[in-house]
Each structure stands twice: as C-alpha cells, then as structure tokens.
Amino acid sequence: MNLDIEKNTTARPLTEEQMSAWRQIVLSEYPKEACAYIVGGKVIQVTNVSPEPLERFAVDPYVRFELESQGHISGFLHSPLSSRDRLGCVLAQWC
C-alpha cells in the first residue's frame, strides 16, 4: 500500500509525532476512511460513522463538542481512498 500525504496549501505541516500517529490510525482503519482531529497538538482518532466508510466519511458532531472541552481543535484529518491500492491522506487544518 502506498501512503501518500497531500497537504492543503493553507495548512500548517504536521509534526513528526503527529504524522506518525496519523499513519498508525490510517493503517489501522484501512480500507475504511480514517478520521481524526488535532486537539491540543495531539492527533485524536474519531470513528467514521458513514454508512459507506469505504467511500465516504462522517463524524458525529457531538464528538467535536466533546473534544473542544479537551483543548483547542486546530485541524481535522481524513484519508480519502483514491483507488483500491493507493491511499491518499488529506489534512484540512484551521486555526
């Protein structure tokens, strides 16, 4: 499996620790689309509740509210599947 990382041009890059955590999450969820928030600088895995987790992602909105109580949410990560044997990772990050 090829793990390519595509970064939104407006996003700050992930630290090595964050990238390592994210890769572990993506690989553990494959072939489903993985999802995570960056909270207080840490990558926190969240459950993909989409009825089609191989094709789409969805996160329970209450999970975000719960995570906000743990610290500042500075980003969201998900791993869209671009083909059966290639996994692309997208970082959508905000301040």
Side-chain angles (χ1 to χ4, degrees):
M1 172 178 24
N2 181 15
L3 186 63
D4 292 328
I5 306 298
E6 301 170 21
K7 294 182 183 154
N8 180 320
T9 57
T10 61
R12 287 181 249 153
L14 295 174
T15 66
E16 288 297 320
E17 184 178 324
Q18 289 169 329
M19 185 62 71
S20 176
W22 176 234
R23 280 190 176 113
Q24 288 177 348
I25 291 167
V26 170
L27 293 172
S28 73
E29 289 296 312
Y30 187 80
K32 297 185 298 182
E33 188 160 350
C35 303
Y37 281 100
I38 300 174
V39 182
K42 296 187 184 224
V43 177
I44 308 294
Q45 182 175 3
V46 294
T47 302
N48 180 353
V49 296
S50 171
E52 298 174 332
L54 298 176
E55 304 294 329
R56 297 179 173 24
F57 74 91
V59 177
D60 183 335
Y62 291 105
V63 169
R64 179 176 174 162
F65 295 129
E66 184 177 310
L67 289 173
E68 286 176 337
S69 70
Q70 297 177 27
H72 173 69
I73 296 178
S74 60
F76 177 77
L77 301 152
H78 70 102
S79 60
L81 299 175
S82 55
S83 74
R84 286 283 177 207
D85 60 354
R86 181 174 172 265
L87 183 61
C89 299
V90 173
L91 166 62
Q93 191 168 8
W94 61 92
C95 298

